[in-house]
Amino acid sequence: MATKEEILRELYPEDLFHYADGLTLGEAEVLQETRRLIEKHLRPVINEHWEKPDFPFEQFYTVAKGAQIMNNPKLFEGREGSYKPSELYIAFLYLELARFDTSMATFYTVHGGLCYNTILLGGDERQQKEFLPKLAAFDWQGCFALTEPLSGSDIAGGLATTAERVGDKWILNGEKRWIGGSDTADVIPVFARDVADGKVKCFIVRKGAPGYDVEVIQHKIALRCVRNGHITMTNVEVPDSDRLVNINGFADVARILTFTRADVAHIAMGITCGSFNAALKYATNRQQFKRPIAKFQIIQEKLARMQANAVAAIAYSVRIAEMQEAGNELMLNSALAKMHNSLVMRETVALARETCGGDGITLETDVARFFADAEAVYTYEGSHEVNALIVGREITGLGAFV
């Protein structure tokens, strides 16, 4: 049987400072099995699905259920009774998914990050027991409906979807946009403004609800496998029992976003590592002037910069995971991590594309997918500018939001 150290060195050679050493043996084994199943089931079909575009549901669920990425007993050794694995494991799970493909990691962050955390943080004990085990087992698919057609960065004040209580039901009306998996999800947490008190609240819309319609957004250059949707809700009825009782204002929403912004920092970390490894593999195999291009000084300089970016991104993600595990989930921390990791991600995918030359614009090297998908990650869960303003407000004491 391989030791933890042997598993981690095999999985993450780019982790030169050995940040992954904080994982348990059980967590490392689950990540190793996840890698094995990704290579067996998803690798052969990913380019086909990227070009279609469509999501490989069957293959993804084979991986997620086969490795039990959310509910494997090995993840809960020493933390029995918890609904979540450790934040450090979650960071490396995102690395594992995103270093293979951004859309797979994005689908997971909608399901296992946004939706799961919304119910975990916003639901009562009854709601947690009803929804979370089925989501963790991937028996139900979840999504997260906050962003609207006319409100992204200003959603706190601009949220226009309404909820009106009528007896023991709520009536939802409005639109949501860019909602990943919204046409196939079984469980859709929808954020709406209570017409009675003006407060933002959250409601679980279930699959097949009358008045809930989705149009899948087409013609994307990034995250092509993700089925982003434009939701229209016309008099959608939700029983009061499906209102998440612990979400009663945007401050509660912000706490959820603090966690999920860190998740996107982890995705950016994974893309950085994935594009670096793809470029390294290409450079050591590609022959020019009768020798591998990795033997040229300028290529080694690019590879060294990508390696440095990978270590820095891992460091940010591991530290914020440690802080979250300790209950110190500050918005400043997640905003800084997302801002930094997205910046080094963007540089790394460009360097990887340069290293691969003309082959870097084909799907054969993986670099083209990373290069295109990085643009979406740079923007979602708070654009670079929004995260920079959160950090700027903290360090200056002055808010610069309009």
Side-chain angles (χ1 to χ4, degrees):
M1 179 182 293
T3 67
K4 181 183 78 170
E5 289 71 23
E6 289 170 338
I7 294 172
L8 295 177
R9 297 297 84 79
E10 175 192 348
L11 290 178
Y12 310 119
E14 66 273 20
D15 180 21
L16 296 185
F17 287 11
H18 296 182
Y19 287 109
D21 286 359
L23 293 164
T24 67
L25 173 60
E27 290 169 338
E29 289 174 342
V30 173
L31 292 167
Q32 183 183 47
E33 178 66 2
T34 302
R35 172 79 63 87
R36 186 187 73 80
L37 292 174
I38 284 174
E39 293 301 319
K40 180 178 180 180
H41 298 286
L42 279 170
R43 176 73 66 185
V45 302
I46 189 60
N47 289 341
E48 170 193 347
H49 282 268
W50 199 88
E51 287 196 304
K52 276 184 178 179
D54 200 8
F55 193 84
F57 286 103
E58 179 182 350
Q59 293 85 354
F60 180 88
Y61 285 132
T62 297
V63 173
K65 292 185 175 185
Q68 295 179 282
I69 61 175
M70 291 183 71
N71 63 356
N72 194 305
K74 293 180 180 180
L75 303 176
F76 295 91
E77 294 169 354
R79 55 190 301 115
E80 290 79 5
S82 175
Y83 276 115
K84 286 180 70 175
S86 76
E87 295 295 338
L88 184 62
Y89 163 79
I90 290 170
F92 277 91
L93 176 61
Y94 278 114
L95 192 161
E96 196 60 53
L97 294 171
R99 78 195 301 276
F100 166 68
D101 181 75
T102 315
S103 291
M104 302 305 106
T106 298
F107 180 89
Y108 177 74
T109 198
V110 172
H111 173 92
L114 287 162
C115 180
Y116 197 85
N117 279 317
T118 296
I119 297 171
L120 179 63
L121 297 174
D124 59 23
E125 184 177 1
R126 178 192 60 79
Q127 291 167 329
Q128 291 170 347
K129 288 182 177 179
E130 178 182 1
F131 293 103
L132 296 183
K134 289 184 172 62
L135 290 168
F138 291 89
D139 293 332
W140 286 350
Q141 179 198 335
C143 78
F144 178 88
L146 175 63
T147 302
E148 298 185 349
L150 300 179
S151 293
S153 298
D154 68 342
I155 193 68
L159 191 143
T161 299
T162 61
E164 181 178 7
R165 183 160 186 172
V166 179
D168 61 353
K169 296 180 181 179
W170 293 82
I171 310 300
L172 306 186
N173 283 283
E175 297 177 78
K176 301 291 181 178
R177 187 165 176 82
W178 293 113
I179 311 305
S182 51
D183 66 322
T184 55
D186 302 287
V187 176
I188 309 105
V190 173
F191 294 85
R193 196 176 300 278
D194 186 346
V195 297
D197 61 14
K199 300 291 186 181
V200 175
K201 296 175 182 175
C202 187
F203 308 84
I204 301 295
V205 174
R206 301 188 186 231
K207 188 173 186 176
Y212 175 91
D213 296 297
V214 180
E215 179 183 357
V216 176
I217 297 171
Q218 305 292 334
H219 312 303
K220 298 183 298 175
I221 68 163
L223 300 179
R224 289 174 55 80
C225 294
V226 176
R227 297 173 64 87
N228 295 101
H230 185 120
I231 300 172
T232 301
M233 289 170 288
T234 306
N235 295 327
V236 173
E237 295 186 3
V238 177
D240 186 58
S241 59
D242 280 351
R243 181 179 77 83
L244 297 181
V245 297
N246 293 320
I247 298 177
N248 295 291
F250 201 81
D252 297 322
V253 182
R255 188 180 176 213
I256 298 166
L257 296 179
T258 294
F259 273 90
T260 55
R261 188 170 283 128
D263 291 345
V264 179
H266 303 331
I267 292 174
M269 165 187 62
I271 295 170
T272 298
C273 294
S275 54
F276 162 58
N277 279 286
L280 178 61
K281 179 181 178 181
Y282 181 86
T284 54
N285 288 288
R286 171 67 166 171
Q287 295 279 329
Q288 289 287 278
F289 304 101
K290 299 181 180 180
R291 54 179 171 167
I293 64 171
K295 198 171 181 180
F296 290 94
Q297 291 180 347
I298 198 164
I299 294 296
Q300 289 199 3
E301 190 274 342
K302 293 180 192 293
L303 292 170
R305 286 166 63 189
M306 287 186 270
Q307 171 65 88
N309 285 346
V311 170
I314 294 170
Y316 265 84
S317 279
V318 167
R319 182 57 185 146
I320 197 171
E322 292 170 345
M323 296 177 79
Q324 287 180 320
E325 190 70 30
N328 189 18
E329 61 271 12
L330 298 178
M331 182 181 293
L332 167 67
N333 299 336
S334 62
L336 183 63
K338 199 276 179 175
M339 183 187 77
H340 171 271
N341 283 8
S342 293
L343 281 170
V344 299
M345 167 199 69
R346 213 180 194 195
E347 179 186 51
T348 304
V349 297
L351 289 169
R353 218 288 311 152
E354 293 171 17
T355 299
C356 295
D359 289 336
I361 67 170
T362 76
L363 296 178
E364 299 306 316
T365 63
D366 291 340
V367 168
R369 281 189 288 109
F370 290 128
F371 185 84
D373 291 340
E375 287 304 294
V377 176
Y378 187 70
T379 298
Y380 73 58
E381 208 58 44
S383 66
H384 168 74
E385 292 78 10
V386 166
N387 283 296
L389 289 175
I390 292 171
V391 176
R393 180 177 60 192
E394 181 69 21
I395 61 179
T396 66
L398 301 170
F401 289 91
V402 174

